[in-house]
Amino acid sequence: MITLLNAAPDTGNQGVSALCHSVVAGLSSRGVKEITVADHGRGLRRADWGYTAVNLVGLTHNRRFWRGDNLRTAHAMTRFGGMISAPARSIARSHAVLDISGGDSFTDIYGLKRFQAMALTKQMALNAGVPLILLPQKLGPFRNPELAVEAVSILRGAAAVWVRDAQSFEFLQEHLGSDFNPKRHRLAVDVAVTLPQKKPQMLSNEVQSLLAPTLKSDFPLAGLNVSGLLCNDAPEARLTFDLAETHEKQIETLARSLLKGDPNLRLLLIPHVHKPETETESDLAACRRLLRRLGPVAHKRVYILEQHLDAMELKWVLAKLDWFAGARMHATIGAFSSGVPTLGLGYTDKAQGVFDECGIGEDVADLRRLDARALGARAAASYLSSKRRKSYLRSRLDGIRARANREMDMIARQVGA
């Protein structure tokens, strides 16, 4: 049995879900039979995901210390074989623990609580004496030197560490020093490039019409992810990520540039993080705000994907587009890995690193350097060159997917498949 940590499929963030399903689908197709995935539910449960069945076990960083699914309680119990804690028992009985840190959360830039959650889960495996394998992810940055030391200690203890960008690989080489081992420490592409697609069961009539093959030839269809993280409290997000201008203004200018540049264009706004609209992270709330700000220019030209689709269903929708842009990185991965010309809107270094590793680094617009007007021009140019970029992307996709599959083969061997 293996246990997968920090890839919970029930966060509402479909980027994290994309990582989860990519790993589980990849390993199950390579003969790994017993996979337990940590989520935020209660106790140990069985779930049928269509392509395979998995165990789910609750593990939550909360203050309910009397419960076995509390992270700190589970962390303490791993030294004693798990005892009252179901997640601690799952880890203690595993022959390997895999951890992907939500793709980019093994850092302190998102706050101390998230870093502690990332560190404690990894230490559970180390305390239990179970091989810990860190799956392709970003490492750092670390602003606090003490937290950096703690992170490096965990990296030293891991049986294998995979990273998904050159910057993280350099971090490994620099901080592990003589402990760096190219057989254990590897650079990979993001696992989500092989995420399977699934046709949605429910789409609005409007969206079905936009995606219908018989109608799509009448107009180009672009997609745009509007990030709640960056838009719903735009002044705070600008300060946090040092953006050149508020993203609310950046994304509106981008949308207007596209609509003005091609009068036949239809634009589909695509949420990739599903949260209640009262929460800052809600992409749907951000999409609705953008639609209101666009006003009359959006009439019968701009639409919102209202349904809460899962990661595989979203990839199916993304594959139907002629062009896509967004700040949610796994939305962009879903698009470009489907052959859709894509402009990544980078608010940290993570997008650039992932796109570089796939050989499409020039398709990232840095929100920290481009104000609204410059971003609008950059997006318009990207859209106009989409036919050329589509041809280039298709020429690279087989190689990208083949590399991702080779890397998953290696991970499967590391867990004993």
Side-chain angles (χ1 to χ4, degrees), residues 13-19 164 190 192-193 195 223-227 269-274 283 305 310-311 314-319 321 323-345 350-351 354-355:
N13 186 323
Q14 298 310 306
V16 178
S17 296
L19 294 172
R164 67 185 189 189
D190 192 289
V193 301
L195 177 71
L224 183 61
N225 165 250
V226 189
S227 168
L269 307 183
I270 302 178
H272 209 254
V273 171
H274 306 320
D283 284 6
L305 180 62
D310 67 31
L314 282 165
K315 187 168 183 177
W316 184 91
V317 171
L318 290 164
L321 303 173
W323 181 87
F324 181 72
R328 298 288 191 185
M329 194 183 71
H330 281 93
T332 63
I333 293 173
F336 78 64
S337 65
S338 302
V340 176
T342 300
L343 182 66
L345 307 181
K350 65 179 179 179
V354 168
F355 276 58

Side-chain angles (χ1 to χ4, degrees), residues 349-395:
D349 292 334
K350 65 179 179 179
Q352 189 67 60
V354 168
F355 276 58
D356 281 343
E357 206 53 40
C358 292
I360 53 173
E362 65 188 83
D363 293 329
V364 177
D366 194 329
L367 300 176
R368 298 166 298 182
R369 295 185 174 89
L370 301 177
D371 63 14
R373 180 179 294 183
L375 181 64
R378 177 74 177 84
S382 173
Y383 172 73
L384 288 174
S385 67
S386 57
K387 287 185 179 179
R388 176 178 58 82
R389 296 305 295 168
K390 188 178 186 73
S391 176
Y392 176 76
L393 192 56
R394 284 182 171 174
S395 74

Side-chain angles (χ1 to χ4, degrees), residues 209-227:
S209 296
L210 284 175
L211 301 176
T214 54
L215 295 179
K216 265 191 88 276
S217 58
D218 296 339
F219 53 80
L221 178 61
L224 183 61
N225 165 250
V226 189
S227 168

Side-chain angles (χ1 to χ4, degrees), residues 3 38 43 57-59 68-70 74 78 82 84-92 124:
T3 299
V57 65
L59 183 62
D69 58 4
N70 171 272
T78 52
I84 64 169
S85 170
R89 288 197 305 274
S90 293
I91 288 171
M124 286 173 68

Side-chain angles (χ1 to χ4, degrees), residues 212-259:
T214 54
L215 295 179
K216 265 191 88 276
S217 58
D218 296 339
F219 53 80
L221 178 61
L224 183 61
N225 165 250
V226 189
S227 168
L229 173 68
L230 301 182
C231 286
N232 291 336
D233 188 351
E236 180 63 25
R238 184 183 183 186
L239 288 173
T240 299
F241 299 108
D242 196 25
L243 305 184
E245 201 158 355
T246 64
H247 192 57
E248 196 171 42
K249 189 170 182 181
Q250 288 173 328
I251 206 75
E252 179 180 348
T253 303
L254 187 159
R256 290 187 183 278
S257 296
L258 293 173
L259 295 168

